[in-house]
Amino acid sequence: MVSKKVVTFDEMMQEVKKYIKKDENIDLITRAYLFAEKNHDGQYRKSGEPYIIHAIQVGYILSSLRTGPKTIAAGLLHDVVEDCDVCLEDVKEKFGDEVASLVESVTKIGALKFKDEKEYLASNHRKIFIAMAKDVRVILIKLSDRLHNMRTLQYMRPEKQKKIANETLEVYAPIAHRLGISTIKSELEDLCLKYLDPDAYFEISELVHKRLDERKEYIRKIMARLSKELESLGIPFEISGRPQTLYSIYKKM
């Protein structure tokens, strides 16, 4: 499950070390962080937070998805070429061809330009996005980047909020769905709803919160009933359940 709280680099590394054990891989991630921290020094986001915090959150989301060390390193470095006085050759020299290639691809996707909003949000935009990222790790970095940007969207101007939310709903959430990353897909959709139809978002959120315990108990009973039936038939199974997301309720309404 992806954490929504702002984590520190040490907390990110705690998550990393749950599944990445080799010292050279830990060292790669640490060096990437220190390089990003140095080059983003003096840069701040709209929230007023140091820019490096964004890079750490992207790295943490990637570690929550159990991506490899080079992907996390590239996630930490994903903005250094675009936003800092760093060239791709510097990244390649310090972190190798593979990490540099990931950073380059993320940078190119970020630079995509379309002639108008209709073209930008067309279904073929997703195809262009995926075609450009021949390596699925690039998509994972962009999804992680977009997820943290959506979590901090309140600091943008209202018109910018709607534009980014609409783009996220049309492009990024469907890609997360196609990749089977339901946690990211669901959170992106709920955050988009918050900015595209705030009245509905807060109304549904309040109603859901009031009935959360009731809904959880209903799911528990259904799971227990299904488990009993499957066991009686001798069928091996795994079963899980969750309440519907705000956006899925919104669509049904």
Side-chain angles (χ1 to χ4, degrees):
M1 188 67 178
V2 176
S3 172
K4 297 179 185 179
K5 75 183 185 74
V6 175
V7 299
T8 64
F9 176 69
D10 288 340
E11 289 171 325
M12 188 202 88
M13 290 306 293
Q14 287 175 19
E15 189 68 23
V16 165
K17 290 175 182 178
K18 289 179 182 178
Y19 70 103
I20 294 177
K21 305 298 182 183
K22 289 185 178 180
D23 290 343
E24 61 265 33
N25 291 334
I26 298 296
D27 178 64
L28 173 68
I29 295 169
T30 303
R31 288 191 295 109
Y33 163 70
L34 293 173
F35 186 82
E37 183 184 43
K38 176 183 176 181
N39 285 282
H40 284 302
D41 185 43
Q43 295 180 347
Y44 295 88
R45 286 169 58 85
K46 294 286 186 182
S47 62
E49 293 177 328
Y51 199 93
I52 190 61
I53 289 177
H54 170 65
I56 294 169
Q57 308 319 301
V58 170
Y60 181 82
I61 294 168
L62 288 167
S63 67
S64 299
L65 295 172
R66 296 299 187 255
T67 62
K70 291 179 181 178
T71 309
I72 296 171
L76 291 166
L77 297 166
H78 76 277
D79 276 333
V80 295
V81 173
E82 185 177 358
D83 295 339
C84 307
D85 189 22
V86 174
C87 67
L88 199 61
E89 287 302 316
D90 291 337
V91 178
K92 188 179 295 186
E93 180 183 339
K94 293 181 183 299
F95 303 101
D97 291 348
E98 198 171 339
V99 171
S101 177
L102 292 172
V103 172
E104 180 182 25
S105 295
V106 172
T107 302
K108 284 182 177 178
I109 288 176
L112 278 175
K113 301 295 181 185
F114 295 87
K115 63 183 179 183
D116 55 39
E117 193 75 6
K118 185 177 180 180
E119 180 186 354
Y120 192 70
L121 295 177
S123 61
N124 67 345
H125 181 196
R126 294 195 293 273
K127 296 175 186 175
I128 294 169
F129 192 162
I130 293 170
M132 282 189 65
K134 296 175 183 177
D135 190 327
V136 71
R137 295 176 296 177
V138 176
I139 301 292
L140 296 177
I141 294 168
K142 282 301 297 182
L143 286 174
S144 300
D145 173 50
R146 178 51 58 109
L147 178 56
H148 184 248
N149 284 337
M150 286 299 300
R151 288 175 178 174
T152 55
L153 198 59
Q154 69 267 32
Y155 299 105
M156 305 295 285
R157 300 188 312 274
E159 61 272 21
K160 191 75 170 178
Q161 290 173 348
K162 289 186 179 297
K163 181 178 180 180
I164 292 172
N166 200 29
E167 172 193 353
T168 301
L169 192 61
E170 294 288 340
V171 178
Y172 289 85
I175 290 173
H177 176 65
R178 188 163 295 183
L179 291 175
I181 312 173
S182 61
T183 52
I184 289 183
K185 168 190 174 286
S186 297
E187 187 178 347
L188 286 177
E189 288 177 340
D190 283 356
L191 287 169
C192 289
L193 178 60
K194 181 179 179 180
Y195 293 100
L196 295 174
D197 194 342
D199 290 342
Y201 172 85
F202 287 109
E203 180 184 2
I204 296 169
S205 181
E206 184 178 355
L207 291 170
V208 164
H209 180 71
K210 285 179 179 178
R211 299 185 59 189
L212 185 60
D213 291 340
E214 178 185 335
R215 293 164 74 222
K216 284 182 177 179
E217 178 61 17
Y218 177 77
I219 291 169
R220 188 195 65 77
K221 287 179 178 179
I222 293 295
M223 288 172 60
R225 182 176 174 183
L226 284 172
S227 297
K228 185 177 179 181
E229 291 293 332
L230 290 167
E231 285 171 357
S232 70
L233 294 169
I235 299 174
F237 68 92
E238 289 183 12
I239 185 167
S240 61
R242 59 167 178 78
Q244 284 187 309
T245 63
L246 303 184
Y247 183 73
S248 66
I249 294 170
Y250 174 80
K251 284 203 300 182
K252 287 179 172 61
M253 290 170 60

